[in-house]
Amino acid sequence: MNVSVVSRGELRLAGIKVVGRRTELSHRVPLAWIELVERLDSIPHLVDRSVFYGSFPESDHQRASNDGVYTYWVCTEVSACGALTEGLRPLVVPARTYATARVEGAAEAIEATYVGLARWIEVQGKRVDAQAWCLERYDQRRQRVTPPYEWFDYEVFKPLDA
């Protein structure tokens, strides 16, 4: 697995916040992606209609359990946080440094990438910042964010402690 350390500036997002148990999110998140894609024309200051971000608090990932409640945002980047239509909310992710790797393959590649990235971080003597946002960056030219999901091709960004 190819892992890089990258610094990203502040990321302004507009999106839909999805909350639920892990089993609920597997149904709710795809529905939220469909809604977001359908509403792109109503989002002011849209940066790139082909690029999307999934974002969740790293703390949710740290305490992973089947019964816990998780938060996942389906988002698109905006150049300014203007007025949003009902159901869309702003999310600002502060500038920071991330370890990043690419998920590429069938569904099994998702877990393999997250596990491999965690191992790489540990071997490098780095730590994940549990108080920060984890990002998944989707480019529609490589993978659609709307179902059906058969092949995955997106980047994962794990926030590193300073």
Side-chain angles (χ1 to χ4, degrees), residues 27-117:
H27 176 70
R28 291 180 183 171
V29 169
L31 293 176
W33 281 123
I34 291 168
E35 181 181 348
L36 182 65
V37 169
E38 289 173 351
R39 297 177 67 181
L40 284 179
D41 290 333
S42 72
I43 299 174
H45 312 291
L46 184 64
V47 171
D48 183 342
R49 58 186 306 117
S50 296
V51 176
F52 296 89
Y53 290 88
S55 186
F56 54 90
E58 180 61 31
S59 59
D60 280 9
H61 202 68
Q62 298 283 323
R63 61 171 175 75
S65 77
N66 289 332
D67 296 333
V69 174
Y70 298 89
T71 301
Y72 188 91
W73 288 69
V74 298
C75 302
T76 189
E77 186 176 4
V78 292
S79 58
C81 291
L84 297 170
T85 58
E86 185 177 339
L88 293 175
R89 298 170 63 179
L91 175 65
V92 178
V93 178
R96 68 171 317 101
T97 301
Y98 295 90
T100 185
R102 187 171 175 178
V103 173
E104 191 172 14
E108 301 79 34
I110 298 169
E111 183 176 356
T113 300
Y114 272 96
V115 168
L117 189 52

Side-chain angles (χ1 to χ4, degrees), residues 84-159:
L84 297 170
T85 58
E86 185 177 339
L88 293 175
R89 298 170 63 179
L91 175 65
V92 178
V93 178
R96 68 171 317 101
T97 301
Y98 295 90
T100 185
R102 187 171 175 178
V103 173
E104 191 172 14
E108 301 79 34
I110 298 169
E111 183 176 356
T113 300
Y114 272 96
V115 168
L117 189 52
R119 283 190 192 125
W120 184 91
I121 291 168
E122 183 179 347
V123 166
Q124 297 300 312
K126 299 183 183 300
R127 292 185 335 176
V128 172
D129 184 348
Q131 304 309 310
W133 291 93
C134 186
L135 299 170
E136 297 172 335
R137 183 184 181 278
Y138 300 89
D139 187 324
Q140 293 265 91
R141 293 164 287 229
R142 294 192 342 239
Q143 177 197 329
R144 293 167 29 122
V145 292
T146 55
Y149 305 115
E150 296 171 5
W151 184 261
F152 299 89
D153 189 352
Y154 64 93
E155 290 94 22
V156 174
F157 292 82
K158 297 288 274 180

